[in-house]
Amino acid sequence: MKEILVILLVAVMASCGKSGGGQQAQAAEQPAAEAKSAFSGDSAYAFVAQQCAFGPRVTGSEAAQQCAQWMVSKLRQYGATDIQEQKAKLRATDGTILNAVNISARFNPQATNRMLVMAHWDSRPWADQDSAQENRRKAIDGANDGASGVGVILELARQMAQKQPKMGVDVLLVDAEDYGPHADEPRSEEDSDGWALGTQYWVENPTIPLTDIKYGVLLDMVGGKGATFAREYHSEYAAKAVNDRVWQAARKTGAGKRFIDAMGGAVVDDHVYLLIAGVPVIDIIEAAHPETGTFPPYWHTMDDNISNIDPATLQDVGNTLMQLIY
């Protein structure tokens, strides 16, 4: 599936223009201003912990319903407008019908210069990478894989409630990203489309006009202890101007050692489906861990819990996003 997506992204690049025209050029022509960030990594950590306290947020579960209500209430509390809960029945690769909920909201809706900040909020229904066989059918907390990105976004919302940015910020929290096939089961080529189901649905049925989004950032696994972020391959290939802008912002905030200026691997994540739709969205994701070469060792295991979340990592990611926004 990765090969298929690369071919599709080649088409995206051809249509968006190798000369640097279109949306990517707009992103590159707007250098970020220096700003002292008020972002609180401790506050973002508390938002991650609250999500985990609901229990595993498996799509359609009671814990997921409670978490969705809480996220909507926080966005409303922080002054977001046009808050929408997009409900959809999605079919997983195992045939399960999922009652998914995508949540979108807008800050400073009058602004025409807009960016998208997004994350998935569901957690993996199976700890299928766990070393203990008895755990491999248990749902995980998804503290890093899911909750960390949402935690950063909610803290950004809290900051925007205190100081409205000049640019517009659209928020998208997508469901059913992590309901891909179990690792112990045979897979077909089509199974790769079993990931990011909520985003696939949203791109076909957007609650925010895609043409409004000048560029965007996906946050996935952005809270791990000692995490570093390399340039994700699809992001670099199809939205290099956005990657450049984000990595420049990270350097300005002092997070250059965490945002490694090197090419990482290709990750089939939510952003890919937006790239295919022509929207330049890049992925900030921990996918080059020194122990594994890819994702952190607790990825899709029962150890993806709050004990592996570091406020300092959330702080660096949040500072970088604040630099972009303000």
Side-chain angles (χ1 to χ4, degrees):
M1 182 60 186
K2 288 181 181 178
E3 291 77 9
I4 295 172
L5 290 170
V6 168
I7 292 171
L8 290 170
L9 290 172
V10 169
V12 169
M13 287 295 291
S15 64
C16 287
K18 294 180 181 178
S19 62
Q23 291 175 312
Q24 292 190 59
Q26 292 181 46
E29 291 167 1
Q30 297 164 1
E34 296 280 359
K36 183 178 180 180
S37 175
F39 187 95
S40 169
D42 290 334
S43 178
Y45 178 91
F47 288 136
V48 176
Q50 179 58 66
Q51 292 171 79
C52 294
F54 289 115
R57 302 163 309 287
V58 176
T59 301
S61 67
E62 182 178 349
Q65 294 173 36
Q66 293 174 353
C67 187
Q69 293 172 7
W70 173 77
M71 291 187 296
V72 168
S73 71
K74 299 309 289 185
L75 290 169
R76 185 172 292 116
Q77 176 186 342
Y78 297 140
T81 63
D82 195 21
I83 300 173
Q84 298 194 46
E85 297 177 71
Q86 181 187 61
K87 297 181 179 180
K89 291 188 179 296
L90 308 175
R91 184 181 294 275
T93 55
D94 63 1
T96 300
I97 301 301
L98 306 173
N99 293 311
V101 180
N102 294 326
I103 298 168
S104 63
R106 313 194 90 178
F107 289 87
N108 194 11
Q110 292 80 21
T112 56
N113 181 28
R114 310 196 64 80
M115 70 173 289
L116 177 73
V117 183
M118 65 181 295
H120 79 89
W121 66 273
D122 60 307
S123 57
R124 182 76 168 149
W126 311 290
D128 53 345
Q129 298 295 330
D130 203 285
S131 58
Q133 189 65 34
E134 63 269 21
N135 287 338
R136 302 193 74 177
R137 288 288 173 180
K138 296 178 181 178
I140 69 173
D141 284 346
N144 197 31
D145 194 359
S148 65
V150 175
V152 169
I153 289 174
L154 290 179
E155 172 58 12
L156 290 173
R158 191 177 75 89
Q159 294 300 322
M160 288 188 286
Q162 299 176 47
K163 181 182 178 182
Q164 178 172 276
K166 292 182 179 179
M167 76 179 307
V169 178
D170 294 322
V171 166
L172 177 61
L173 307 176
V174 290
D175 200 353
E177 188 273 344
D178 239 343
Y179 215 100
H182 194 284
D184 291 345
E185 296 174 353
R187 301 190 186 196
S188 66
E189 189 69 23
E190 290 74 22
D191 285 342
S192 292
D193 275 334
W195 305 91
L197 294 175
T199 295
Q200 292 184 59
Y201 182 86
W202 189 85
V203 167
E204 294 296 323
N205 306 275
T207 55
I208 297 167
L210 298 183
T211 53
D212 282 2
I213 303 169
K214 300 299 187 293
Y215 69 99
V217 177
L218 167 65
L219 305 176
D220 196 356
M221 292 189 277
V222 292
K225 292 179 178 178
T228 57
F229 310 107
R231 292 176 178 240
E232 189 274 329
Y233 176 82
H234 295 309
S235 306
E236 185 74 2
Y237 190 82
K240 185 179 186 302
V242 184
N243 251 4
D244 288 345
R245 179 170 182 156
V246 171
W247 260 250
Q248 180 187 43
R251 288 194 298 271
K252 284 187 175 182
T253 65
K257 291 184 178 179
R258 196 179 298 279
F259 284 75
I260 300 171
D261 201 4
M263 180 67 76
V267 182
V268 179
D269 208 344
D270 293 294
H271 71 303
V272 166
Y273 297 95
L274 283 149
L275 289 172
I276 292 171
V279 184
V281 176
I282 64 102
D283 194 4
I284 300 177
I285 184 169
E286 184 181 7
H289 194 280
E291 288 184 36
T292 64
T294 55
F295 303 129
Y298 50 82
W299 173 72
H300 289 186
T301 75
M302 298 300 289
D303 289 332
D304 186 1
N305 55 47
I306 195 67
S307 68
N308 281 304
I309 300 300
D310 187 355
T313 306
L314 299 169
Q315 183 75 52
D316 283 344
V317 174
N319 286 348
T320 299
L321 270 292
M322 289 284 284
Q323 181 74 22
L324 290 173
I325 292 169
Y326 288 99

